[in-house]
Amino acid sequence: MSRVVEIDPTRLCRWLETFTTRHGPVTTRLEPLDSPNAAGSRLVVEAADGARARITAPFAPPAGGDLASFVDAVAVPRTVAALLVRRGGVAVGVFHGRDLVVSKIETAYVQGRTKAGGWSQQRYARRRVNQARQLIETAAELVVTIVLPRRDALDLLATGGDRASVEEVLTDPRLGPLRDLRLDRVHPVPDPRLPVLRRFPDQYLALQIELNDLA
């Protein structure tokens, strides 16, 4: 059995101190991510008593692969593009650290399913498809306008909202240069608005720690 906790990167040193106090000296090793195409890195911390923590972080594996290098890498401010897409709209921005450097929000309305039958149902279905297509096109244009010009300065691309919509946006051939920067996880978010976007670093910067039943 295992459990997963998430912590803010600023808490990592304190968390590791507590882990070693409880379980004694540790050894570390880098481990490949489950998705080979995903950005990010994972450090496995193992104690002599069998306790193990697998720490997944949203950055490339640090040089050396040891615990000190990993902790140092967590503290480095990253330049991250954010793409949030839900039925209620889209938000695109670029962060440096936790500071939102540039952003654009577009609200939208994609109609839900209706119980009406016959021609009414077909009309609603066509309208829903058109609204969804327009939302995807709007999102892609915002990424092209705001994010692509900053591609060379970016460390990561973080996404949130509806996974199917995010995937569809990123199929736009113009966005190919961003795909190798993408974090695999699509974070749950409310309808994209500026306050939601501003809080998004709390989600994509969080470290995921998987603990075994001895930890």
Side-chain angles (χ1 to χ4, degrees):
M1 294 291 292
S2 63
R3 66 187 190 280
V4 176
V5 298
E6 292 190 353
I7 65 170
D8 187 276
T10 59
R11 294 179 51 209
L12 179 59
C13 286
R14 182 63 180 271
W15 189 93
L16 288 167
E17 288 174 2
T18 301
F19 186 86
T20 55
T21 298
R22 290 177 177 174
H23 303 289
V26 300
T27 59
T28 62
R29 57 183 171 84
L30 286 174
E31 180 181 79
L33 295 180
D34 301 328
S35 175
N37 296 322
S41 61
R42 179 178 293 141
L43 187 75
V44 181
V45 181
E46 295 176 306
D49 67 355
R52 183 181 67 248
R54 302 166 76 228
I55 307 172
T56 302
F59 49 76
D66 56 20
L67 186 57
S69 298
F70 193 86
V71 171
D72 288 344
V74 166
V76 175
R78 309 281 167 173
T79 301
V80 179
L83 167 64
L84 310 182
V85 188
R86 278 176 56 90
R87 195 166 66 179
V90 57
V92 174
V94 175
F95 291 86
H96 182 67
R98 293 180 180 272
D99 295 329
L100 184 58
V101 178
V102 61
S103 65
K104 181 69 174 177
I105 316 293
E106 292 285 354
T107 59
Y109 174 71
V110 178
Q111 184 172 311
R113 296 185 180 275
T114 178
K115 294 183 180 180
W119 287 107
S120 293
Q121 184 177 25
Q122 295 177 32
R123 184 174 67 253
Y124 281 122
R126 287 194 299 270
R127 184 180 301 168
R128 186 171 62 249
V129 168
N130 290 336
Q131 290 167 341
R133 183 184 300 114
Q134 184 175 358
L135 175 66
I136 297 303
E137 292 173 355
T138 297
E141 287 299 328
L142 289 180
V143 177
V144 168
T145 301
I146 293 174
V147 176
L148 272 186
R150 297 169 172 82
R151 167 61 180 82
D152 292 343
L154 294 178
D155 295 299
L156 301 167
L157 168 64
T159 60
D162 175 62
R163 175 175 284 275
S165 297
V166 168
E167 299 289 353
E168 191 170 356
V169 172
L170 294 178
T171 61
D172 190 305
R174 296 173 296 175
L175 304 185
L178 299 174
R179 290 179 193 133
D180 62 338
L181 300 178
R182 182 188 173 186
L183 296 171
D184 189 53
R185 187 177 180 186
V186 179
H187 295 273
V189 295
D191 281 345
R193 301 293 185 267
L194 185 57
V196 174
L197 181 62
R198 289 190 183 277
R199 293 192 300 267
F200 193 44
D202 293 340
Q203 293 178 266
Y204 68 71
L205 290 177
L207 306 177
Q208 284 190 306
I209 304 179
E210 180 184 347
L211 303 166
N212 68 359
D213 55 1
L214 298 177

